[in-house]
Amino acid sequence: MFYITTPIYYVNDAPHLGHAYTTILADVLARYHRLRGEPVYFLTGVDEHGQKVQNAVRKNAITDPQAYVDEMAERFKTTWKRLNIAYDDFIRTTEPRHVRVVQQVLQQLWDAGLIYRGEYQGWYCVSDERFWTEKDLVDGCCPDCGRPVEHIAEDNYFFQMSRYQDWLVDYIERNPDFIQPAFRRNEVLGFLRRPLADLCISRSASRLSWGIPLPFAPDYVTYVWFDALLNYVTAAGFGVDEDRFAAQWPQALHLIGKDILITHAVYWPTMLQAAGLPQPRRIFAHGWWVIGGTKMGKSLGNAVSPLDLVDIYGVDAFRYFIMRDMTPGLDADFDAERVDSRYTSDLANNLGNLLQRVVNMTGRYCGGCIPQPGPETAEEAGLRALVEALPGQVFEQIDRLAVNTALSQIMDGLTAVNGYLERTAPWTQAKAGRAERVTAILYTAAEALRLISVLLSPVLTEKTREIFSRLGWEDDQAGDGLAWGVLKPGSAVTAGDPLFPRIG
């Protein structure tokens, strides 16, 4: 079982490029694992509680917070549908199934004496919904987002997170793949060198009413991060389907942005340990999309809407660009010229032109049907060996979450097919009357293009289906898509417009 999750996104804003990157990365990884024949469960969703949501409701004079979050959740669903994201579950923290799990875990920890009441004094960032100590602040502002913080002093409930500090350090050191990339693991271990405080897990309902009530103190609601993190076990069947939970949960891969590393790599593991639950398999923190070295954000006026790019280049080209141009774990500069360059060089020229050449020459020299393979020369054997090796190489990179490297390998494969056609020159062979040689070349090129397109299909979800159709192959045929020799001689090919037409 491959269980992959995105963070659940705050509903107080429209999806931006950062949201789209994480969710498409999860979708692509899920599709590759399905392509390999593995059972997959892909979870995404939205975080609907907390101060930011309550503030947005009040600012817009909305009387029904649930109606507001209902509308905002649909924005995410609509965007994910437009981006061809095929999730298995979309969780919302206002759902009864999630409220039940949050209150169950809270009650369990309360009964075990792991939650206590005390006074909290500290600095609170409404935007990030996080408390900070005085020494954490940067020029009196939140160290993450740079916004002003407010001082809060009130009675609250605390989770004894500090008692798990030594355990967590030991667990991370004994499980080097638990937090990735390795430099993020080191960052967490560095954070854990200083004493770990207990975690304030409540807010007074008199100040913040939009949240899940504590089962043992209904005049308080649950801190949004304690609430939100539990979504991952809710969706895995915790407390409802224990067999599914036991099989699915320990395989979990959390994809997160680096800005929420501590909440996922410190808060979350200690919560699970306190509740007697296994840890997820991996927590992977990716970088940010930046412009001129500055993180994108609505408040900075430099946010990029994914749908604006889809309107220009199409959904597949957008998916390809953001998978190809970010090295997982590192920041990536967004540049509109690079989007255009990828579209033209990789997709239009390399992939699209190859399809045009193969289909057009098959129509001209082979009566418009996939020809018999014909006897192989060293050229055919060499290309076949290269293409047959690609699935193993690509899946090796996918297991490392290096989708960008996998796509580079795939593009190299397409370049090799184009080079093969140049060297073997079927048009010259046809003029010389070497019909058997022409059929061998064109079958090899068509089959190589088909198999490579299967490897591209988790990213190019629409265009690859068009390639299969033009080559006369149904991509839902019995699970042999990654084998060589699948194209059936006699299948009709279909000419058409350029796969990736010129922009502008």
Side-chain angles (χ1 to χ4, degrees), residues 117 157 202-208 213-214 216-221:
R117 183 165 179 163
Y157 288 85
S202 68
R203 302 290 181 269
S204 171
S206 62
R207 180 169 64 84
L208 174 62
L214 300 185
F216 46 82
D219 51 341
Y220 285 82
V221 299

Side-chain angles (χ1 to χ4, degrees), residues 74 197 255 398:
E74 286 303 314
L255 294 181
I398 294 303

Side-chain angles (χ1 to χ4, degrees), residues 227-248:
D227 161 4
L229 288 165
L230 285 163
N231 90 89
Y232 304 124
V233 295
T234 298
F238 174 66
V240 175
D241 187 340
E242 291 303 328
D243 289 340
R244 178 166 75 88
F245 182 74
Q248 183 172 319

Side-chain angles (χ1 to χ4, degrees), residues 134 168 172 178 209 300 312 331 414 418 476:
E134 185 79 39
L168 181 56
I172 294 171
F178 178 54
S209 60
L300 299 174
I312 298 171
D331 291 346
L414 290 171
N418 275 307
D476 59 354

Side-chain angles (χ1 to χ4, degrees), residues 10-84:
Y10 283 127
V11 294
N12 66 320
D13 200 1
H16 55 61
L17 187 64
H19 298 134
Y21 173 78
T22 314
T23 316
I24 291 175
L25 177 59
D27 180 67
V28 166
L29 292 170
R31 288 174 184 267
Y32 272 115
H33 281 265
R34 292 188 190 108
L35 185 61
R36 196 157 54 180
E38 298 176 32
V40 170
Y41 200 82
F42 167 22
L43 172 70
T44 189
V46 286
D47 183 359
E48 299 181 337
H49 291 131
Q51 190 75 51
K52 283 192 290 188
V53 172
Q54 180 168 288
N55 289 355
V57 167
R58 289 175 176 171
K59 180 179 178 181
N60 293 283
I62 298 170
T63 57
D64 183 2
Q66 188 65 54
Y68 170 77
V69 297
D70 288 347
E71 178 184 348
M72 297 301 289
E74 286 303 314
R75 291 192 187 188
F76 281 86
K77 289 185 177 181
T78 299
T79 300
W80 298 161
K81 183 176 181 180
R82 180 83 185 280
L83 297 178
N84 291 341

Side-chain angles (χ1 to χ4, degrees), residues 108-374:
Q108 177 186 340
L109 299 186
W110 173 257
D111 292 344
L114 295 172
I115 293 175
Y116 64 91
R117 183 165 179 163
E119 183 183 60
Y120 180 83
Q121 291 195 38
W123 297 96
Y124 185 62
C125 173
V126 173
S127 178
D128 289 341
E129 308 235 11
R130 286 184 64 179
F131 283 109
W132 300 100
T133 65
E134 185 79 39
K135 64 182 178 181
D136 290 324
L137 302 182
V138 177
D139 297 326
C141 294
C142 172
D144 272 1
C145 70
R147 294 181 178 88
V149 292
E150 57 185 61
H151 190 267
I152 292 177
E154 63 183 20
D155 281 351
N156 263 311
Y157 288 85
F158 292 78
F159 162 54
Q160 293 187 43
M161 187 165 66
S162 60
R163 71 184 295 173
Y164 297 99
Q165 180 167 7
D166 291 342
W167 165 82
L168 181 56
V169 170
D170 180 66
Y171 186 85
I172 294 171
E173 289 178 340
R174 286 187 296 103
N175 295 274
D177 293 334
F178 178 54
I179 301 169
Q180 296 179 335
F183 62 88
R184 296 295 177 206
R185 171 179 175 269
N186 293 337
E187 183 180 323
V188 173
L189 288 172
F191 176 86
L192 290 169
R193 289 194 186 101
R194 60 184 181 180
L196 189 62
D198 289 342
L199 180 65
C200 180
I201 60 164
S202 68
R203 302 290 181 269
S204 171
S206 62
R207 180 169 64 84
L208 174 62
S209 60
W210 185 241
I212 298 175
L214 300 185
F216 46 82
D219 51 341
Y220 285 82
V221 299
T222 309
Y223 172 42
V224 67
W225 272 110
F226 194 98
D227 161 4
L229 288 165
L230 285 163
N231 90 89
Y232 304 124
V233 295
T234 298
F238 174 66
V240 175
D241 187 340
E242 291 303 328
D243 289 340
R244 178 166 75 88
F245 182 74
Q248 183 172 319
W249 171 244
Q251 304 305 317
L253 163 61
H254 294 324
L255 294 181
I256 62 170
K258 64 180 183 179
D259 50 326
I260 52 175
L261 176 64
I262 296 303
T263 52
H264 280 79
V266 176
Y267 296 8
W268 182 221
T270 60
M271 288 165 57
L272 288 167
Q273 179 69 5
L277 296 175
Q279 299 298 314
R281 183 178 180 184
R282 278 191 292 179
I283 300 167
F284 188 91
H286 64 72
W288 290 336
W289 282 97
V290 299
I291 295 180
T294 302
K295 180 188 177 185
M296 288 185 186
K298 183 178 178 181
S299 62
L300 299 174
N302 65 352
V304 173
S305 166
L307 297 187
D308 288 346
L309 293 172
V310 169
D311 288 340
I312 298 171
Y313 295 99
V315 64
D316 276 0
F318 172 72
R319 286 169 62 98
Y320 178 81
F321 169 75
I322 63 172
M323 291 296 98
R324 181 69 182 84
D325 272 50
M326 179 179 274
T327 300
L330 302 179
D331 291 346
D333 277 305
F334 178 81
D335 185 339
E337 291 185 2
R338 290 179 67 181
V339 183
D340 195 74
S341 176
R342 287 291 183 198
Y343 181 91
T344 301
S345 63
D346 290 12
L347 300 179
N349 293 344
N350 204 357
L351 176 59
N353 282 349
L354 177 59
L355 176 65
Q356 291 286 90
R357 298 175 79 188
V358 169
V359 169
N360 289 344
M361 284 191 287
T362 301
R364 184 178 305 122
Y365 304 128
C366 302
C369 294
I370 297 295
Q372 291 290 337

